[in-house]
Amino acid sequence: FVASHTNIVVGLVETIVGLTCPLTILEYELRGDSSPQSFVGHWIQQILYWDLPHEAFIVLYFLCFVWVTLLWRWCPPTAKLR
């Protein structure tokens, strides 16, 4: 649970610094840096990969980080008793 929230912070820092995610680099290498050629592939790419300025993603990641932090404080995780 904590590791998944840590990924939000890592994504925020990567975006601010301007780094490309290592998994994205691996994906490009494995695909040979080619774009999808099929109709379905085109629309999936349009839905999943937004063509927004770099600053927009910084704001989105920061808002997600703030939201997760607020939720953590408002309703902290509790251990389940069996």
Side-chain angles (χ1 to χ4, degrees), residues 29-44:
E29 290 293 324
L30 292 175
R31 288 192 306 148
D33 200 20
S34 63
S35 61
Q37 300 295 324
S38 69
F39 175 79
V40 174
H42 168 76
W43 284 106
I44 288 176

Side-chain angles (χ1 to χ4, degrees), residues 1-34:
F1 185 75
V2 173
S4 63
H5 290 91
T6 304
N7 289 335
I8 292 174
V9 175
V10 171
L12 175 65
V13 171
E14 283 181 344
T15 304
I16 290 172
V17 175
L19 295 176
T20 303
C21 176
L23 293 176
T24 303
I25 295 171
L26 178 63
E27 177 187 357
Y28 287 153
E29 290 293 324
L30 292 175
R31 288 192 306 148
D33 200 20
S34 63

Side-chain angles (χ1 to χ4, degrees), residues 30-63:
L30 292 175
R31 288 192 306 148
D33 200 20
S34 63
S35 61
Q37 300 295 324
S38 69
F39 175 79
V40 174
H42 168 76
W43 284 106
I44 288 176
Q45 182 179 10
Q46 295 297 320
I47 293 169
L48 291 179
Y49 302 109
W50 301 346
D51 188 21
L52 297 174
H54 184 71
E55 293 79 15
F57 288 102
I58 292 174
V59 170
L60 285 173
Y61 290 151
F62 180 74
L63 290 174

